[in-house]
Amino acid sequence: MCIRKVLLLGFLSLHLPGYNGQGPSFQPDTTIDFRHHSNQQLADRMRHYAAIFPHIARVYSIGRSTDGLDLLVVEISDNPGVHEPGEPEFKYVGNMHGNEVTGRETLLYLMQHLCNNYANDSEIKELVDSTRIHILPSMNPDGYAEAVEGDRSGVTGRHNANDLDLNRNFPDRFGRSKGDQQPETAAVIQWLEDYPFVLSANLHNGALVANYPYDNSPSGAAVYTRSPDDDIFRQLSLAYSNAHATMHLGEPCPWDADGFPNGITNGADWYSIDGGMQDYNYLRTNCFEITIEQYCYKYPYASELQGIWEANKDALIAYIKEVHK
């Protein structure tokens, strides 16, 4: 073996955990590390998996946050980096509110699950081979850096570094969005222009429900506000709720008197918000998006993450499958 190859293998062994020096591929971590990952750890994990599975994964940035952090996406597909005619483009977005954290962790686990099982699970292989899946675990890394583990229902870290709510910042059909357009918002808008997404979900915390458009009403009051595709949105929301361990039961969170029948709700019927991302997707692009509230508490302790993943895993996969229906 030439000295150059020896040095290269030594470098990979030191700098890419899991590389075994045998052949062209790296060894994945088959067990999920149920802990909260810092912004740097999250980025490292995404890049690590793209290095392990370059035939089905790549990492790219859609822009930078207010504080200059990359908004990183992992694409999982049988032909990463290429739009194939007839293959639908799907996306998940997590951590839009920085203190609502289970989305960033469950999406990281989903990345691992899809990559680790691609070679030995025919269902996963078929899904990856037939879908171009884009995963943005954290839309608001600046807010996340300020959030506090154990936060049940607070707001510390919710907003971006300019103290603006990103889910009130998108162009609105009534012209009622809040604040100047933020870098994170602009990055997502450009992302939507660059990729022909057709289905999406935005992951939040603070309830246990799948929420569908419209998210605001003409008057701003809490009233059921149907979109022309209300039946389709209900079907999409039920696909997630019914595959979730408990969401479909419609049980309320500890502080709520009432739950949501079948675990779904029209957004404006729950409460009306202006400048929301899911309505922007629906009205300004060809992408249908719903908002999924994954867990009652905003920033649960790390000890709760395994249970949250197990409750949401099948639902996350079932929802992606809806892009083929």
Side-chain angles (χ1 to χ4, degrees), residues 32-38 100-110 144 149-150 205 244 294-295 297-313 316:
I32 291 176
D33 184 11
F34 292 107
R35 63 186 173 95
H36 291 292
H37 293 77
S38 69
E100 299 177 17
V101 305
T102 68
R104 62 186 275 140
E105 293 300 329
T106 56
L107 291 180
L108 185 66
Y109 308 154
L110 178 64
Y144 176 79
E149 184 174 357
N205 294 104
H244 187 279
Q294 283 191 315
Y295 194 61
Y297 301 124
K298 300 289 185 76
Y299 197 147
Y301 290 104
S303 59
E304 300 172 73
L305 290 174
Q306 182 171 357
I308 294 168
W309 164 243
E310 291 172 353
N312 283 277
K313 179 179 72 174
L316 287 165

Side-chain angles (χ1 to χ4, degrees), residues 225-239:
T225 307
R226 288 174 173 81
S227 75
D229 296 293
D230 191 70
D231 289 345
I232 295 174
F233 277 118
R234 287 179 55 83
Q235 173 190 318
L236 292 169
S237 301
L238 285 168

